[in-house]
Amino acid sequence: MKVLKAFFLGRSMREKVILLAFLFLAVAIWASAFSTRAQSFVSVYRRTGGTLAEQGMWLGKRESIEANAKKAISQLDPSLTLDGTKLLAEVNRIAAQAGLTSNVQADDTRDEHTSQFVVHSLRFTVRKADYATLVRFYLDLQRRSPYIGIEQFALQAEAANPAQLTASLRLSSVEVIR
């Protein structure tokens, strides 16, 4: 430290000013980088704290969630659950009852297996339908709840005729494995 002090004091005033300017610039750059890292750390810390608080809340409600799940499962009739083929057939039947017989497409089927259930899902698209028919279809699907669920629903007007709509739904059903 004495060597640096002697080096600094042995310089002319102009050199001292330049050295102090470089030192100040280096400290400013370091402080800026430190500030950015500190803000990032505080942001991650707060987000993590929020996530932990939310997880703690859900873990605190574990007993009531499990009780509600057991109650829901006890009310579920395994004979009314649908496999992938029955889901497609039932959705097509509901669509036909609602008056959607043409411009209907079902694709992108998926199955997710667990130890007790198989969740079947499919994307169902209806093109060039009127609003009243889509509402009737939607309400008929809701009557089949909880055996048929709507995960996603997107509605878009046709470009050529805004009175005609395109509806895209992601539907799912749960099959109980016996």
Side-chain angles (χ1 to χ4, degrees):
M1 192 67 161
K2 289 181 182 182
V3 174
L4 288 176
K5 184 178 179 180
F7 174 77
F8 181 75
L9 293 176
R11 302 288 142 212
S12 67
M13 184 55 101
R14 185 178 63 185
E15 290 174 339
K16 288 179 184 177
V17 170
I18 291 174
L19 283 173
L20 287 175
F22 280 136
L23 181 63
F24 177 75
L25 184 62
V27 168
I29 291 171
W30 176 83
S32 173
F34 178 79
S35 171
T36 302
R37 287 191 308 269
Q39 287 175 348
S40 175
F41 173 78
V42 168
S43 174
V44 169
Y45 179 80
R46 286 183 181 157
R47 228 180 345 207
T48 303
T51 302
L52 287 174
E54 181 181 358
Q55 289 175 359
M57 178 203 58
W58 287 112
L59 288 172
K61 294 181 179 183
R62 178 180 178 189
E63 290 80 18
S64 66
I65 291 171
E66 286 178 352
N68 288 339
K70 286 179 183 177
K71 181 181 175 186
I73 290 171
S74 70
Q75 295 173 350
L76 193 65
D77 184 3
S79 66
L80 295 176
T81 61
L82 305 171
D83 62 17
T85 306
K86 288 180 183 177
L87 172 64
L88 178 59
E90 184 68 13
V91 171
N92 281 328
R93 184 189 66 75
I94 292 170
Q97 280 182 342
L100 301 171
T101 55
S102 61
N103 297 325
V104 174
Q105 177 184 359
D107 59 4
D108 191 22
T109 59
R110 297 181 192 163
D111 297 331
E112 295 178 29
H113 297 271
T114 66
S115 61
Q116 297 176 344
F117 302 102
V118 179
V119 178
H120 305 282
S121 66
L122 63 92
R123 185 176 60 222
F124 194 78
T125 305
V126 178
R127 289 179 176 41
K128 298 181 180 178
D130 63 282
Y131 180 75
T133 306
L134 285 175
V135 168
R136 192 168 41 249
F137 174 64
Y138 177 81
L139 292 175
D140 289 345
L141 278 176
Q142 287 297 324
R143 285 189 197 102
R144 288 289 288 148
S145 179
Y147 301 103
I148 297 177
I150 300 173
E151 293 179 14
Q152 290 179 329
F153 186 96
L155 191 62
Q156 181 177 351
E158 291 289 325
N161 183 359
Q164 292 182 329
L165 303 170
T166 297
S168 179
L169 298 92
R170 165 112 356 236
L171 303 170
S172 64
S173 69
V174 176
E175 177 185 8
V176 177
I177 299 174
R178 298 176 190 170

